[in-house]
């Protein structure tokens, strides 16, 4: 293999050439991994090689230790540990460290990434002890380019998401800080070095807590960062303000002194910086302050409700700074860019986001400042000032007392509705968004008779007038529909008299020749919202709408033959997805009344599945609609199973499309719940696919809880027939019950374990009910002890969700009912059982059905132990 040629081909613009080169590298790594690493490391370190070849070698080295899925990552890391001789490891690492000194900055960058990949393997195992001292020495004594590359390496190491490495970095905090502080000092002559240092400091802040606890070290770190905000290099300023954001998020409790002495002034000055990226980061500092103080207030309120004396320090930074910060934010709102795209994040949008958070943090305190600004600018000749005025008013709709906001909103609504006719589309768009905020947060201020008719009319006029306003108008209309829906199942609501006109308007908008995809999709989402929130007296209109929507969906089948480009295909799939989503909303709203349309709906949905191309998102929408139809038809859905189930089987087995596979798993639950024991003929295949997916290394862990829940639904559907699958499912359940999370670990892992346990309990709940209903409860006997073991673990774990506790209560009660003669009384006499039930029953934040389930479980336990 000609290494240079293969590496060059990995950078080829031709996809086939690039893919072939990547395959050659992969094969070479598979055949001789030590030789592969050695060859690439030499090429990376080769000063005579062309720069792009060295870069490609570095990328290939990094990729040799990279993987998206955690199990695969552990596998490639294990290859380094088990297959590489110590002398080769030493040589490869030395070559990488030597490359950091290269005058070729790209080679140094590639070496930094590769070193970080090896560090993720070796540092947690207390290997490569010379790495950090070497990097510190480079920063202290090396040339500028070596300093920069070494600091970049430290940054790459510290930005890791690898749990083991993150846990290990704290013991290297002194070395890390020595290097980054050395490079970040104002005395450092190279701006590139200083920027690399301040970036690495931002990445390392989480791991230097012990240093931050030391007042002397903390003072010095803060001095370095504050001085960096005054650098002449904008990159260094940006990095410094980014550091301040992270410091405030991580070490709020230690910031009082620094806020008083420096940070108030530095950040307010930074917000006014002419360099937009610097100003945005200074604004984001106050976003962080507000987010922290909102969270602290919530945490302290919960602690007080639980009679805890452990309250977090709360310094009121945002309230104290309101007179200085809010006027600057209001001024920055006027810096709108006329040509900004919807997703551009500029200074004005950063200021708007910060003002929203400020409103939530300080509440009514900022109303006078904002109202004064609104009054001065609402009629301004410059559209940017009018835009800023309506934006500012909308931004404060969440936070202040509704009793104070209500009269202000009532007074402002006629003016805002009038501003929907402003001659500048940006102002109209911001007005529509402000109206959406009002509908979302202060709906009681909208009088159904006085305000609602002109409000709806102005929003529909805005929707028709410009695609730029589509998103804001539609969001406002959806909020309006949600807030005026009335009680579930009510005969009429304030939207009733507007329903027909609204639907007609939306149908017209979606059929406009000049309607782009964004406008059409948004209009269909509003239609969904109106259908979902329709009162009973408008259900005949919903039924009539179903004819129109089904006809439109039928028309799309022939449109597939007219596709001539990728854009055509994307447009068609957007239309089919939107129409199918409306069909879903109609089915859910009409419930059993959809039966007359069922044949036609299933026919067109099957046609869509037959004609849709690969890697399309349309089947996900179709499956959701099919699930809703199955729920409405119950056992009668069996008429469509033979025609539909091949698509369901294919989706269950399609591990290359995980989103569709996830929807298919949920659909199996919907169909089996609806059809009951009629679903039994299909369950062998369902179970084979589900068990295969559970064992698959391709699918991520997030699928496992849903699959376990699906087992419970299948069991409830087919009752005693689930005996066929009981032993293998019980084995899977017991294995899953052994998965635990480190309390200090990642939130993702904690959430996963909670979801997994919920899936296990839901499955056991369905299985116990199935066996009891068929008189086969003795088949559960071998597994009862393991069920109580898991319940005990859950009871002692601080990390629990409401849905998990509800599922646990269900299993406790179901097992007691299944064995009413006290067969397992010893288990039920354990103190933790009643404590767990009491804890659930007494939680005021839980829903009524959760508390009722806990009360029912308590009664079953009392019967089980003979107390009643």
């Amino acid at each position: 293999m000609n290494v240079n040629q293969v590496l060059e081909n990995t950078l080829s613009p031709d996809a086939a050439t690039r893919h072939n080169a990547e395959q050659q590298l992969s094969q070479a790594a598979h055949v001789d991994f030590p030789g592969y690493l050695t060859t690439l490391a030499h090429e990376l370190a080769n000063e005579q090689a062309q720069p792009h070849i060295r870069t490609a070698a570095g990328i290939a080295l990094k990729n040799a230790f990279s993987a998206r899925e955690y199990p695969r990552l552990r596998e490639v890391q294990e290859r380094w540990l088990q297959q590489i001789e110590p002398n080769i490891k030493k040589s490869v690492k030395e070559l990488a460290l030597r490359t950091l000194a290269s005058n070729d900055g790209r080679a140094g960058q590639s070496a930094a990434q590769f070193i970080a990949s090896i560090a993720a393997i070796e540092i947690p195992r207390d290997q490569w002890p010379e790495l950090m001292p070497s990097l510190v020495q480079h920063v202290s004594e090396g040339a500028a380019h070596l300093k920069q590359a070494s600091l970049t390496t430290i940054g790459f190491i510290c930005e890791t998401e690898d749990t083991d490495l993150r846990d290990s970095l704290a013991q290297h905090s002194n070395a890390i800080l020595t290097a980054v502080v050395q490079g970040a000092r104002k005395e450092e002559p190279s701006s590139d070095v200083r920027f690399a240092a301040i970036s690495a400091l931002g990445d390392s802040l989480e791991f230097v807590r012990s240093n931050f606890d030391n007042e002397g070290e903390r003072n010095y770190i803060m001095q370095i960062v504050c001085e960096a905000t005054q650098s002449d290099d904008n990159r260094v300023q940006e990095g410094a303000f980014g550091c301040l954001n992270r410091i405030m998020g991580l070490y709020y409790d230690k910031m009082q002194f620094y806020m008083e002495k420096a940070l108030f002034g530095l950040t307010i000055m930074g917000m006014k910086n002419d360099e937009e990226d610097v100003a945005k980061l200074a604004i984001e500092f106050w976003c962080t302050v507000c987010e922290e103080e909102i969270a602290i207030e919530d945490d302290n309120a919960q602690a007080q409700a639980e009679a805890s004396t452990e309250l977090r320090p709360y310094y009121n930074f945002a309230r104290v700074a309101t007179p200085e910060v809010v006027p600057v934010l209001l001024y920055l709102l006027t810096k709108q860019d006329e040509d900004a795209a919807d997703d551009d994040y500029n200074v004005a949008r950063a200021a708007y986001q910060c003002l929203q958070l400020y409103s939530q943090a300080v509440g009514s305190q900022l109303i006078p400042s904002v109202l004064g600004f609104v009054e001065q600018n609402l009629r301004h000749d410059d559209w940017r000032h009018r835009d800023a005025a309506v934006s500012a008013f909308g931004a404060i709709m969440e936070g202040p007392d509704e009793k104070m906001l209500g009269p202000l909103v009532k007074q402002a609504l006629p003016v805002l509705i009038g501003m929907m006719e402003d001659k500048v589309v940006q102002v109209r768009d911001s007005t529509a968004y402000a109206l959406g905020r009002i509908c979302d947060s202060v709906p009681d201020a909208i009088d159904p008779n006085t305000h609602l008719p002109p409000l709806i009319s102005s929003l529909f006029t805005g929707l028709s007038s410009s695609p730029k306003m589509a998103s804001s108008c539609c969001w406002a209309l959806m909020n309006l529909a949600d807030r005026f829906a009335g009680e579930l199942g009510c005969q009429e609501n304030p939207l009733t008299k507007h329903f027909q006109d609204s639907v007609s308007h939306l149908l017209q908008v979606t059929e406009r020749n000049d309607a782009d995809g964004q406008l059409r999709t948004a209009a269909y989402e509003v239609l969904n919202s109106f259908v979902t929130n329709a009162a009973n007296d408008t259900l005949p209109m919903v039924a009539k709408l179903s004819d129109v929507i089904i006809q439109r969906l039928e028309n799309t089948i022939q449109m597939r033959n007219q596709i001539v480009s990728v854009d055509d295909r994307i447009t068609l799939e957007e239309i089919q997805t939107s129409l199918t989503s409306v069909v879903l909303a109609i089915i859910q709203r009409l419930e059993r009344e959809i039966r007359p349309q069922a044949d036609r709906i299933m026919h067109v949905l099957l046609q869509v599945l037959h004609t849709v191309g690969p890697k399309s998102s349309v089947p996900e929408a179709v499956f959701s609609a099919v699930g809703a139809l199955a729920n409405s038809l119950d056992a009668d859905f069996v008429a469509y199973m033979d025609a539909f189930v091949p698509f369901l089987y294919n989706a269950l087995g399609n591990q290359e499309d995980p989103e569709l596979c996830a929807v298919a798993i949920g659909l199996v639950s919907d169909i089996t719940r609806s059809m009951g024991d009629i679903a039994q003929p299909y369950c062998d295949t369902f179970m084979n696919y589900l068990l295969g997916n559970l064992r698959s290394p391709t699918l991520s862990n997030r699928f496992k809880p849903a699959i376990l829940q699906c087992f419970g639904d299948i069991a409830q559907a087919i009752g005693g027939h689930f005996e066929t699958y009981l032993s293998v499912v019980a084995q899977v359940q017991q294995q899953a019950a052994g998965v635990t999370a480190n309390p200090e670990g990642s939130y993702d892992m904690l959430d996963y374990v909670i979801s997994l346990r919920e899936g296990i309990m839901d499955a056991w709940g369905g299985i116990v009910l199935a066996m009891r209903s068929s008189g086969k409860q003795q088949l559960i006997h071998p597994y009862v002890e393991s069920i109580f073991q898991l319940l005990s673990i859950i009871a002692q774990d601080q990390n629990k969700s409401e849905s998990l506790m509800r599922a646990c209560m269900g299993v406790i009660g179901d097992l007691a009912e299944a064995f009413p003669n006290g067969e397992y009384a010893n288990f039920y006499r354990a103190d933790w059982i009643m404590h767990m039930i009491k804890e659930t029953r007494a939680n005021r934040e839980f829903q009524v059905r959760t508390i009722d389930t806990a009360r029912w479980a308590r009664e079953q336990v009392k019967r089980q132990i003979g107390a009643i």
Side-chain angles (χ1 to χ4, degrees):
M1 180 177 74
N2 184 333
V3 176
N4 280 5
Q5 187 60 56
V6 173
L7 289 172
E8 184 153 359
N9 287 347
T10 63
L11 305 174
S12 171
D14 179 68
T17 303
R18 193 169 60 249
H19 177 72
N20 185 50
E22 290 167 353
Q23 290 296 106
Q24 287 181 271
L25 288 177
S26 178
Q27 180 65 20
H30 178 72
V31 171
D32 180 11
F33 191 52
Y36 176 78
L37 294 179
T38 301
T39 301
L40 290 178
H42 276 289
E43 204 58 43
L44 175 63
N46 184 1
E47 290 293 334
Q48 277 66 52
Q50 297 182 49
H52 68 281
I53 297 296
R54 300 180 74 184
T55 300
I59 292 171
L61 282 167
K62 178 182 73 73
N63 289 344
F65 298 96
S66 303
R68 292 181 181 178
E69 292 292 333
Y70 184 78
R72 173 62 182 156
L73 177 63
R74 282 289 175 257
E75 182 182 317
V76 297
Q77 291 180 338
E78 203 60 33
R79 192 160 57 165
W80 169 265
L81 293 169
Q82 302 297 332
Q83 296 183 18
I84 311 299
E85 295 293 331
N87 62 319
I88 296 177
K89 288 182 183 178
K90 184 173 184 291
S91 172
V92 167
K93 292 187 292 188
E94 286 177 350
L95 287 166
L97 283 170
R98 193 171 81 201
T99 308
L100 293 177
S102 173
N103 289 318
D104 180 353
R106 288 186 299 174
Q109 178 96 352
S110 296
Q113 291 178 312
F114 174 51
I115 292 168
S117 298
I118 301 302
I121 304 171
E122 297 204 341
I123 287 178
R125 294 169 175 82
D126 294 325
Q127 299 173 7
W128 208 356
E130 67 273 19
L131 172 60
M132 286 300 179
S134 295
L135 295 174
V136 173
Q137 185 177 4
H138 290 170
V139 176
S140 175
E141 302 173 2
H145 57 273
L146 177 57
K147 289 182 180 182
Q148 182 183 354
S150 300
L151 288 163
T152 301
T153 304
I154 293 172
F156 284 145
I157 292 171
C158 290
E159 70 179 13
T160 181
E161 294 183 5
D162 187 289
T163 306
D164 292 341
L165 179 55
R166 294 171 73 87
D167 291 343
S168 304
L169 283 174
Q171 64 186 343
H172 298 279
S173 63
N174 288 333
I176 292 169
L177 270 180
T178 299
V180 298
V181 169
Q182 173 81 17
R185 295 176 309 149
K186 65 180 180 180
E187 291 80 11
E188 170 57 50
S190 169
S191 292
D192 289 338
V193 170
R194 202 173 177 201
F195 172 58
I198 208 76
S199 299
L201 177 59
D203 292 324
S204 67
L205 284 166
E206 188 175 339
F207 312 111
V208 297
R209 185 169 294 276
S210 61
N211 305 84
F212 241 85
D213 286 340
N214 182 296
E215 183 180 359
E217 293 187 52
R218 182 172 69 246
N219 287 342
Y220 189 51
I221 295 169
M222 292 302 296
Q223 177 187 334
I224 293 292
V225 176
C226 289
E227 288 173 349
T229 65
Q230 304 305 298
S231 168
D232 293 332
D233 189 306
N234 290 330
R235 298 173 305 160
V236 176
Q237 287 189 49
E238 290 169 33
F241 281 114
C243 278
L244 290 179
N245 290 349
R246 293 213 68 195
I247 289 170
M248 179 57 71
L250 291 167
Y251 304 109
Y252 173 94
D253 59 313
K254 296 178 171 60
M255 286 297 106
Q256 187 174 26
F257 172 77
Y258 308 103
M259 287 294 280
E260 292 173 354
K261 295 297 182 182
L263 299 187
F264 275 114
L266 287 177
T267 53
I268 290 170
M269 190 164 59
M271 290 161 66
K272 300 175 182 178
N273 196 299
D274 292 335
E275 182 60 37
E276 186 170 89
D277 289 336
V278 175
K280 285 190 295 188
L281 283 162
I283 294 167
E284 286 173 17
F285 173 82
W286 287 102
C287 290
T288 304
V289 170
C290 292
E291 287 169 342
E292 282 299 307
E293 296 197 330
I294 291 167
I296 291 170
E297 283 198 289
D298 288 344
D299 290 346
N300 287 349
Q302 183 172 350
Q304 288 173 333
E306 296 170 355
S308 171
T309 57
E310 295 184 9
L311 301 181
R312 294 177 60 188
Y314 179 63
Y315 299 124
N316 271 312
F317 292 145
R319 291 184 191 278
V320 171
T322 297
E324 288 78 28
V325 174
V326 171
V328 178
L329 294 175
L330 293 170
Y331 164 74
L332 293 174
L333 288 177
T334 67
K335 299 302 178 182
Q336 267 288 18
D337 181 358
E338 186 173 4
D339 300 319
D342 288 343
D343 56 352
D344 283 354
Y345 183 64
N346 52 33
V347 168
R349 288 177 181 165
Y352 178 82
Q353 179 186 31
C354 190
L355 190 61
Q356 279 185 307
L357 288 167
Y358 231 101
S359 178
Q360 295 170 45
V362 308
S364 304
Q365 181 179 337
L366 52 58
I367 286 181
S369 298
V370 172
L371 284 185
F373 178 81
V374 171
E375 290 170 359
Q376 287 179 356
N377 291 277
L378 201 59
R379 304 297 185 189
H380 202 283
D381 291 339
D382 187 335
W383 71 266
R384 290 175 177 81
H385 287 256
R386 299 197 301 277
D387 182 84
V390 294
S391 296
F393 190 76
I396 64 169
M397 288 300 105
E398 185 178 355
D401 191 331
E402 281 193 41
K403 293 179 180 178
M404 181 176 285
L405 280 178
L408 298 175
V409 170
K410 286 180 183 291
Q411 183 180 352
L413 268 171
V415 179
L416 289 174
I417 293 170
M419 291 194 71
M420 287 293 289
E421 298 177 3
D422 193 281
K423 60 186 178 182
V424 178
V425 67
Q426 285 88 348
V427 178
R428 299 200 300 274
D429 183 41
S430 295
T431 304
Y433 194 81
L435 289 170
R437 293 269 297 169
I438 290 170
C439 293
D440 185 38
S441 301
V442 202
D444 292 343
I446 303 173
D447 185 276
N449 298 315
T450 305
H451 299 135
L452 199 55
L455 177 57
I456 291 179
S457 175
S458 68
L459 290 171
F460 275 121
T461 300
L463 182 60
S464 302
S465 67
S466 171
K468 183 176 179 61
M469 296 177 61
S471 178
S472 298
C473 289
C474 288
W475 182 67
L477 285 164
M478 285 189 285
N479 286 339
L480 190 147
D482 290 342
R483 295 298 182 246
F484 287 96
E487 294 294 326
L488 185 67
C490 62
Q491 187 59 30
E492 63 176 347
N493 62 30
L495 295 176
T496 295
K497 61 181 72 173
H498 307 285
F499 187 85
Q500 185 61 59
D501 288 343
S502 298
V503 168
S504 299
H505 200 118
L506 290 165
L507 291 174
Q508 291 170 12
V509 168
T510 56
E511 288 287 275
R512 275 171 42 181
N513 292 329
D514 63 340
D516 64 3
Q518 181 183 11
L519 172 59
R520 186 169 46 242
T521 300
Y524 276 125
E525 288 176 357
V526 178
L527 189 56
N528 284 351
S529 190
F530 270 79
V531 168
T532 299
N533 294 295
N536 288 343
D537 59 358
T538 55
L539 291 186
M541 300 180 207
V542 175
K544 186 177 179 182
L545 173 64
S546 68
D547 282 321
V548 177
I549 299 300
I550 295 169
Q551 180 64 58
R552 288 189 179 185
L553 190 54
E554 289 168 342
N555 293 342
T556 65
I557 304 301
Q558 298 304 317
M559 291 170 63
R560 186 157 292 277
N561 298 325
Q562 302 167 17
I563 291 177
V564 295
S565 68
V566 173
D567 287 344
D568 288 346
R569 179 178 59 80
I570 292 172
T571 299
L572 175 59
E573 292 185 356
E574 285 176 349
I575 293 172
Q576 287 184 324
T577 299
S578 294
L579 288 168
T580 306
S581 298
V582 180
V583 170
L584 167 63
I586 291 171
I587 294 170
Q588 290 174 328
R589 187 63 192 91
L590 292 180
E591 296 178 323
R592 297 181 67 83
E593 300 304 315
I594 198 65
R595 286 173 177 266
Q597 293 278 36
D599 284 354
R600 190 177 172 196
I601 289 173
M602 276 305 296
H603 180 70
V604 70
L605 293 179
L606 288 167
Q607 282 186 298
V608 170
L609 290 174
H610 272 293
T611 58
V612 76
K615 297 183 179 179
S616 167
S617 60
V618 177
E620 294 175 32
V622 171
F623 278 22
S624 297
V626 169
L629 191 62
N631 290 334
S632 296
L633 299 180
D634 295 327
D636 290 342
F637 185 78
V638 71
Y640 310 111
M641 275 299 285
D642 288 342
F644 173 70
V645 81
F647 296 104
L648 182 53
Y649 291 156
N650 286 339
L652 285 170
N654 188 358
Q655 296 182 6
E656 294 181 358
D657 188 349
E659 297 306 320
L660 180 61
C661 188
V663 175
I665 292 166
L667 184 52
V668 171
S669 287
D670 289 339
I671 287 175
T672 51
R673 277 198 306 262
S674 300
M675 291 173 56
D677 58 2
I678 300 174
Q680 186 194 344
Y682 307 97
C683 287
D684 277 354
T685 310
F686 286 157
M687 290 297 296
N688 285 334
Y689 276 116
L690 292 170
L691 289 167
N693 287 340
L694 206 55
R695 301 184 182 108
S696 170
T698 304
L699 293 177
S700 68
N701 284 338
R702 69 186 178 90
F703 287 81
K704 293 179 181 178
I707 292 172
L708 297 177
Q709 289 170 335
C710 194
F711 290 155
D713 291 326
I714 292 173
Q716 278 192 263
I718 64 176
H721 297 294
F722 196 79
E723 175 185 354
T724 306
Y725 318 114
L726 179 56
S727 63
V728 66
V729 169
Q731 183 182 5
V732 167
Q733 299 266 79
Q734 288 169 334
Q735 290 172 347
V739 177
T740 58
N742 184 336
E744 304 301 321
S746 70
Y747 288 118
D748 287 344
M749 187 61 185
L750 291 172
D751 286 343
Y752 167 65
V753 170
I754 291 171
S755 299
L756 191 66
R757 290 172 176 174
E758 183 184 338
I760 295 168
M761 286 299 148
D762 282 340
W764 278 126
I767 291 168
V768 171
L769 287 172
M771 295 301 108
R772 182 169 70 86
S773 66
S774 57
K776 297 181 178 181
Q777 56 264 51
Q778 290 305 321
L779 295 174
I780 305 171
H781 175 73
Y783 316 113
V784 171
E785 183 174 355
S786 65
I787 294 173
F788 275 95
Q789 285 175 349
L790 179 57
L791 285 168
S792 174
I793 291 170
I794 294 170
Q796 297 171 50
D797 198 325
Q798 296 299 311
N799 297 299
K800 299 187 278 275
S801 67
E802 178 181 358
S803 51
L804 172 58
M805 297 306 290
R806 184 167 60 246
C808 290
M809 296 300 104
V811 170
I812 289 170
D814 289 335
L815 275 172
E817 273 197 333
F819 300 95
N821 299 320
E823 292 94 325
Y824 299 108
N826 286 339
F827 288 122
Y828 283 101
R829 288 193 178 98
D831 292 340
W832 61 263
I833 287 277
M834 274 303 187
H835 179 77
M836 189 181 194
I837 293 173
K838 182 179 180 182
E839 181 185 16
T840 306
R841 193 166 49 86
N843 193 317
R844 296 180 181 179
E845 294 183 2
F846 285 178
Q847 298 176 19
V848 173
R849 67 186 182 121
T850 303
I851 294 169
D852 286 346
T853 305
R855 286 174 177 155
W856 168 79
R858 181 185 60 174
E859 297 307 310
Q860 301 309 313
V861 172
K862 287 181 177 180
R863 288 191 175 92
Q864 180 72 199
I865 62 179
I868 58 175

